[in-house]
């Protein structure tokens, strides 16, 4: 596990995981771009979450709703009110704003006097249409789940669903965070993976426990260590404005224990408020009682970037002096990224043992062409074989295939395991099948 965030930040840039946005213009605060390896890893995380919801559980369907919605959605949800705001003090001299619990009387930047606390709403404003006036004011969504509530009837009726059922969604959300910090941990633009479970009010407590356990299991199965994960029951005064109960799943980052996922019992807050504000009854018809009621919602809500950061922090190992016996004492340290094979951005690397023997190079290239249509693969022939192994260990690539002199006679290759560094010889004709099994 990594011991400082700075190491992760520089690693992410050096190896093409995450770059500062608009870097050539001096950077754009709190915005980040995901590089070639970052985007693969992010896609893997989203796919794993989607499969967890859609394949591993019954009665959950997906949705992809718009980022822009009627501003009335945010009035009804309570996000335009005081409940979705940070309490801040503003410096009277430099006008910078700080969270109340992070400062005292003086500005930490310029020493100026601070104002009384004021509440600043986090909704990100925008104008829709050609004229910038009040009637065209809209908001970028602050949570994806509102798109789910306003489509509750559409999904229920089109899919002929019966309670309990879930609707899940992955997508961008935006918050005008006043104090974005800790790299991609708190940003103004981020991606959420949210699932809303609609159930009878009397079964909400049981489902809350069920979903909390399921979500914790997901992180553990994907390599997060038990000792770095904990649940935190959030007291009433600190809960989100819609939550009857809230448990935060926290990960031990190098900058402390922080929330990666929230499990919320939202009661009927959203469906009843949208019914009230829209005039459309979003109730569910109980066939036995012959009446409509508002289901309760158990929500699981996590951020793609926070998962990404937690998996990176967990997997990052720095090995002083390197792992191999032949290591020269001049080499300071090696990085081994022990990502779960399903999260790893590159699954397999292909190397010719030497680059000056044409037959070996040609065979390695042929194997690479075969593998790259099945997995994210890389081909590398530069530098010593040891250096090439280290380069792919560093990006968490679980397997490296090497073509050597024996390969030409025996039609086989070696497969090296990232973590054990053990190598086995495999017939080329069986390679694809074996890699598929190993990566499954
Ligand atoms: N729909 C419920 C909801 O949005 P939340 O606790 O405000 O609940 C859920 O957010 C998750 O979204 C968080 O646990 C975190 O993973 C992610 N998230 C929230 N704000 C974020 C931010 N500013 N930057 C990155 N991720 C964020």
């Amino acid at each position: 596990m990594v011991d400082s965030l700075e190491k992760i930040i520089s690693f992410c840039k050096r190896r093409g995981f995450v770059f500062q946005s608009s870097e050539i213009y001096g950077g754009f605060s709190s915005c980040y771009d995901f590089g070639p390896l970052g985007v693969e890893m992010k896609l893997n995380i989203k796919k794993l979450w989607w499969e967890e919801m859609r394949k591993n559980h019954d009665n959950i369907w997906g949705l992809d709703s718009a980022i822009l919605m009627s501003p009335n959605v945010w009035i009804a949800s309570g996000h335009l009110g005081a409940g979705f705001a940070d309490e801040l003090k503003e410096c009277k001299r430099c006008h910078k704003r700080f969270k109340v619990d992070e400062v005292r009387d003086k500005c930490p930047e310029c020493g100026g006097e601070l104002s009384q606390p004021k509440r600043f709403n986090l909704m990100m404003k925008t104008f829709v249409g050609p004229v910038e006036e009040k009637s065209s004011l809209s908001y970028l969504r602050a949570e994806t789940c509102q798109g789910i509530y306003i489509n509750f009837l559409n999904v229920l009726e089109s899919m002929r669903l019966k309670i309990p059922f879930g609707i899940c969604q992955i997508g961008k959300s935006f918050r005008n965070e006043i104090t974005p910090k800790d790299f991609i941990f708190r940003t103004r633009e981020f991606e959420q993976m949210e699932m809303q479970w609609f159930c009878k009010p009397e079964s909400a407590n049981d489902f809350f426990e069920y979903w909390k356990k399921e979500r914790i299991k997901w992180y553990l199965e994907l390599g997060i260590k038990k000792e770095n994960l904990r649940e935190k029951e959030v007291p009433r005064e600190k809960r989100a404005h819609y939550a009857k109960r809230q448990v935060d799943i926290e990960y031990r980052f190098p900058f402390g224990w922080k929330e990666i996922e929230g499990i919320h019992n939202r009661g009927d807050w959203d469906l009843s408020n949208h019914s009230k504000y829209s005039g459309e009854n979003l109730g569910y018809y109980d066939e036995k009682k012959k009446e409509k009621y508002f289901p309760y919602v158990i929500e699981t809500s996590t951020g793609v970037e926070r998962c990404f950061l937690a998996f990176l922090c967990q997997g990052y190992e720095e090995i002083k002096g390197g792992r191999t016996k032949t290591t020269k004492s001049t080499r300071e340290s090696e990085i081994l990224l022990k990502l779960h094979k399903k999260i790893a951005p590159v699954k397999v690397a292909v190397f010719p043992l030497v680059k000056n023997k044409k037959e070996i190079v040609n065979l390695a290239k042929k194997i690479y062409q075969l593998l790259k249509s099945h997995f994210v693969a890389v081909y590398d022939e530069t530098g010593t074989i040891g250096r090439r192994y280290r380069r792919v260990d560093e990006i968490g690539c679980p397997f490296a295939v090497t073509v050597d002199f024996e390969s030409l006679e025996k039609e086989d290759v070696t497969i090296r395991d990232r973590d054990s560094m053990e190598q086995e010889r495999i017939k080329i004709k069986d390679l694809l099948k074996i890699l598929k099994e190993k990566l499954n």
Side-chain angles (χ1 to χ4, degrees):
M1 196 192 158
V2 75
D3 53 10
S4 91
L5 186 62
E6 283 60 43
K7 284 184 185 166
I8 290 286
I9 299 173
S10 77
F11 168 79
C12 279
K13 178 172 160 81
R14 187 168 58 79
R15 295 309 315 261
F17 283 77
V18 184
F19 309 126
Q20 170 71 60
S21 163
S22 316
E23 206 175 359
I24 58 165
Y25 289 100
F28 194 60
S29 162
S30 128
C31 293
Y32 294 93
D33 300 333
F34 286 77
L37 299 190
V39 70
E40 293 293 343
M41 180 162 153
K42 229 179 160 198
L43 281 171
N44 292 341
I45 293 172
K46 289 191 272 186
K47 184 165 174 270
L48 285 162
W49 183 89
W50 193 258
E51 283 180 357
E52 170 68 3
M53 291 297 162
R54 293 271 303 109
K55 278 196 197 161
N56 299 348
H57 291 94
D58 290 333
N59 236 12
I60 298 184
W61 283 96
L63 184 76
D64 185 11
S65 66
I67 289 176
L68 294 171
M69 287 177 257
S70 160
N72 292 331
V73 169
W74 305 107
I75 297 172
S77 71
H79 282 81
L80 288 176
F84 193 61
D86 272 348
E87 206 173 31
L88 306 168
K89 286 185 177 181
E90 187 170 322
C91 172
K92 291 184 181 169
R93 196 191 294 161
C94 73
H95 300 288
K96 286 217 167 111
R97 291 167 183 172
F98 306 93
K99 281 197 170 167
V100 168
D101 48 7
E102 286 171 2
V103 283
R104 294 194 174 190
D105 312 328
K106 294 273 177 251
C107 170
E109 299 275 322
C110 74
E113 195 189 332
L114 293 175
S115 70
Q116 287 301 308
K118 284 188 228 161
R119 295 194 81 86
F120 288 90
N121 191 272
L122 300 178
M123 293 296 297
M124 192 86 92
K125 286 182 189 156
T126 186
F127 292 95
V128 175
V131 190
E132 278 195 24
E133 56 180 14
K134 207 171 166 214
S135 63
S136 59
L137 177 66
S138 185
Y139 302 90
L140 302 183
R141 67 180 172 200
E143 52 175 11
T144 60
C145 58
Q146 292 303 326
I148 294 182
Y149 306 131
I150 61 171
N151 279 292
F152 174 70
L153 290 183
N154 285 335
V155 179
L156 176 81
E157 286 163 11
S158 60
M159 303 309 289
R160 297 167 48 240
L161 299 175
K162 293 260 179 293
I163 263 169
F165 67 87
I167 305 177
C168 62
Q169 168 155 234
I170 300 178
K172 291 265 184 173
S173 289
F174 301 81
R175 295 183 190 175
N176 209 356
E177 299 279 3
I178 311 291
T179 50
K181 60 176 174 185
D182 297 324
F183 190 36
I184 54 171
F185 178 82
R186 181 177 292 123
T187 51
R188 297 192 173 108
E189 172 183 345
F190 53 97
E191 216 164 349
Q192 289 186 308
M193 304 189 282
E194 299 197 302
M195 192 281 297
Q196 313 298 307
W197 183 253
F198 299 92
C199 61
K200 287 185 178 163
E202 56 272 27
S203 56
N205 289 341
D206 289 346
F207 279 124
F208 190 98
E209 291 305 321
Y210 171 79
W211 281 110
K212 190 180 70 183
K213 282 196 194 118
E214 288 295 284
R215 295 303 304 139
I216 289 173
K217 198 169 86 196
W218 188 76
Y219 291 106
L220 296 176
E221 281 170 2
L222 291 175
I224 297 292
K225 293 270 181 290
K226 216 171 163 192
E227 62 272 20
N228 294 330
L229 206 63
R230 72 177 188 193
E231 339 174 348
K232 192 176 90 187
E233 185 79 47
V234 180
R236 182 187 294 267
E237 67 281 6
K238 293 217 165 138
R239 276 178 219 155
H241 63 276
Y242 46 72
K244 281 179 174 304
R245 189 179 167 203
Q246 177 174 342
V247 167
D248 288 346
I249 301 177
E250 294 189 332
Y251 177 73
R252 197 205 314 236
F253 287 100
F255 45 93
W257 284 100
K258 299 279 172 189
E259 171 192 342
I260 48 173
E261 171 153 355
I263 312 291
H264 307 124
N265 178 350
R266 297 178 72 124
D268 64 3
W269 168 268
D270 301 277
L271 291 182
S272 66
N273 276 324
H274 284 305
S275 298
K276 194 164 100 193
Y277 281 85
S278 69
E280 187 88 34
N281 187 342
L282 303 186
Y284 177 83
Y285 186 70
D286 186 317
E287 278 165 12
K288 270 199 199 134
K289 291 189 183 155
K290 305 270 184 262
E291 61 183 23
K292 273 194 171 180
Y293 68 94
F294 291 121
Y296 270 26
V297 171
I298 303 302
E299 170 183 64
T300 73
S301 172
T302 184
V304 179
E305 293 80 359
R306 286 197 190 173
C307 291
F308 184 101
L309 189 57
F311 290 128
L312 272 188
C313 289
Q314 184 65 71
Y316 188 100
E317 276 180 25
E318 209 175 348
I319 300 153
K320 295 263 175 309
R323 290 202 286 171
T324 39
K325 296 258 177 350
T326 53
T327 300
K328 297 222 174 75
S329 53
T330 47
R331 204 164 73 228
E332 313 95 50
S333 64
E334 249 171 58
I335 292 161
L336 170 65
L337 195 62
K338 272 191 162 177
L339 290 176
H340 188 284
K341 60 189 178 182
K342 291 200 171 161
I343 292 179
V346 175
K347 308 294 183 200
V348 59
V350 183
F351 305 142
L353 182 67
V354 290
K355 71 169 181 185
N356 53 7
K357 178 125 176 106
K358 219 166 100 200
E359 293 86 338
I360 291 184
V361 169
N362 287 347
L363 183 56
K365 283 186 176 163
K366 208 170 129 197
I367 290 172
Y368 167 66
Q369 286 303 328
L370 165 79
L371 297 183
K372 91 185 238 290
S373 58
H374 296 269
F375 319 103
V376 178
V378 290
Y379 172 84
D380 189 2
E381 57 180 30
T382 56
T384 65
I385 191 75
R387 182 168 289 200
R388 282 179 270 160
Y389 284 140
R390 287 197 295 281
R391 272 205 289 262
V392 292
D393 285 347
E394 200 179 47
I395 57 164
C397 177
F399 299 106
V401 169
T402 303
V403 177
D404 56 18
F405 290 92
E406 258 182 83
S407 306
L408 301 178
E409 287 161 37
K410 298 190 180 157
E411 298 186 348
D412 62 6
V413 287
T414 61
I415 299 188
R416 174 186 177 271
D417 179 287
R418 175 194 71 196
D419 299 339
S420 67
M421 296 193 294
E422 268 165 24
Q423 302 195 15
E424 47 178 325
R425 291 204 82 88
I426 303 281
K427 289 283 172 212
I428 295 171
K429 66 176 176 36
D430 301 328
L431 181 64
L432 187 57
K433 187 174 133 270
I434 287 173
L435 275 173
K436 278 187 178 169
E437 281 164 10
K438 282 182 186 287
L439 285 163
N440 210 336

